[in-house]
Amino acid sequence: MNEHLFIIAKISPKAEFFMQAKQAILSIVANTLEEDGCLKFAVHEDGKHLFLYEEWRSQEGLDKHYAMPYITPIFEAYQEWLKEPVEINKLERLA
């Protein structure tokens, strides 16, 4: 049984903030991948939304990620940038 935490997050920026949000998220990829609890952190887009595919060793690793100093400014900017809250889907691998 795989105890890892799998997440797909859908981020919906307002059109005028799309590029800022995209650049902000892309700027944290390298640091995030170096975090001890992170196994995968990939950014995708469909032109209107940003999607994060993440794999973490545990919830504890994800919680530590959220507390990182490079994450806080992005979460604060989300209050202005986003048209709706981030949709976070926690997944369980079946096979």
Side-chain angles (χ1 to χ4, degrees), residues 42-85:
V43 184
H44 305 268
E45 70 169 289
D46 67 4
K48 293 183 181 179
H49 306 94
L50 300 164
F51 298 87
L52 302 179
Y53 173 75
E54 307 175 40
E55 182 179 354
W56 296 88
R57 293 186 197 283
S58 65
Q59 181 65 50
E60 180 184 10
L62 179 60
D63 292 342
K64 287 180 180 178
H65 168 68
Y66 287 156
M68 290 291 178
Y70 47 88
I71 299 301
T72 306
I74 294 174
F75 283 174
E76 289 173 358
Y78 278 176
Q79 294 177 37
E80 180 182 5
W81 290 351
L82 301 187
K83 56 185 170 186
E84 58 191 57

Side-chain angles (χ1 to χ4, degrees), residues 26-44:
L26 289 172
S27 76
I28 66 164
V29 171
N31 285 338
T32 301
L33 288 169
E34 289 180 11
E35 292 178 37
D36 186 46
C38 182
L39 298 171
K40 182 82 171 173
F41 189 84
V43 184
H44 305 268

Side-chain angles (χ1 to χ4, degrees), residues 6-24:
F6 299 89
I7 293 176
I8 295 177
K10 179 182 177 185
I11 302 165
S12 302
K14 296 172 187 168
E16 64 268 28
F17 295 113
F18 185 84
M19 289 306 294
Q20 284 176 270
K22 179 178 169 180
Q23 290 305 316

